Amino acid sequence: YRRDVMLRLLDKYFKHIASWNIPEGGFYIWLRLQSEIHTRKLFYHALHAGILLNPGSIYDGSDQHHLRLSYSYASIEELEKGIIMLANLCKKLRTK
């Protein structure tokens, strides 16, 4: 259920700035951001806004395009609030 909610939120708020695969199991989704969004900068802005996320560079030092988003602990309301805030940050931080 939570996975499906997260997928609907991503489709609504991220379809023009990222891509992702539908996971068959687990508790997270790997999001691939468009190349003009710098994940390191996004990480710090998100942290300041109270959003904890895992940039791909934690798992692969050269990965500057992925985020690992978990949907296992937050409530549905928190997921929606966090996804909206994160999408707004991504749009704000896009390089021209």
Side-chain angles (χ1 to χ4, degrees), residues 1 40 73 90 93:
Y1 173 73
R40 181 164 296 206
Y73 294 108
C90 286
L93 295 173

Side-chain angles (χ1 to χ4, degrees), residues 5 32 37 40 62 72:
V5 169
R32 180 171 178 30
I37 300 170
R40 181 164 296 206
S62 65
S72 62

Side-chain angles (χ1 to χ4, degrees), residues 4-49:
D4 295 338
V5 169
M6 179 67 100
L7 290 169
R8 281 194 299 275
L9 290 169
L10 290 175
D11 190 52
K12 183 173 182 178
Y13 297 104
F14 276 86
K15 67 180 167 187
H16 298 295
I17 57 175
S19 59
W20 57 92
N21 292 321
I22 299 173
E24 292 185 26
F27 301 105
Y28 54 85
I29 294 173
W30 281 101
L31 197 67
R32 180 171 178 30
L33 297 172
Q34 292 177 351
S35 61
E36 68 266 9
I37 300 170
H38 300 283
T39 56
R40 181 164 296 206
K41 194 174 190 179
L42 176 62
F43 172 80
Y44 290 111
H45 282 269
L47 190 60
H48 182 71

Side-chain angles (χ1 to χ4, degrees), residues 1-2 4 7 11 13 22 24 31 36 43 50 52-53 55 58-60 65 68 73-75 80 83 86 91:
Y1 173 73
R2 290 175 171 277
D4 295 338
L7 290 169
D11 190 52
Y13 297 104
I22 299 173
E24 292 185 26
L31 197 67
E36 68 266 9
F43 172 80
L52 182 60
L53 50 86
I58 291 174
Y59 308 97
D60 175 352
H65 300 291
R68 190 178 95 162
Y73 294 108
S75 69
E80 183 168 19
I83 289 296
L86 186 59
K91 291 171 186 172

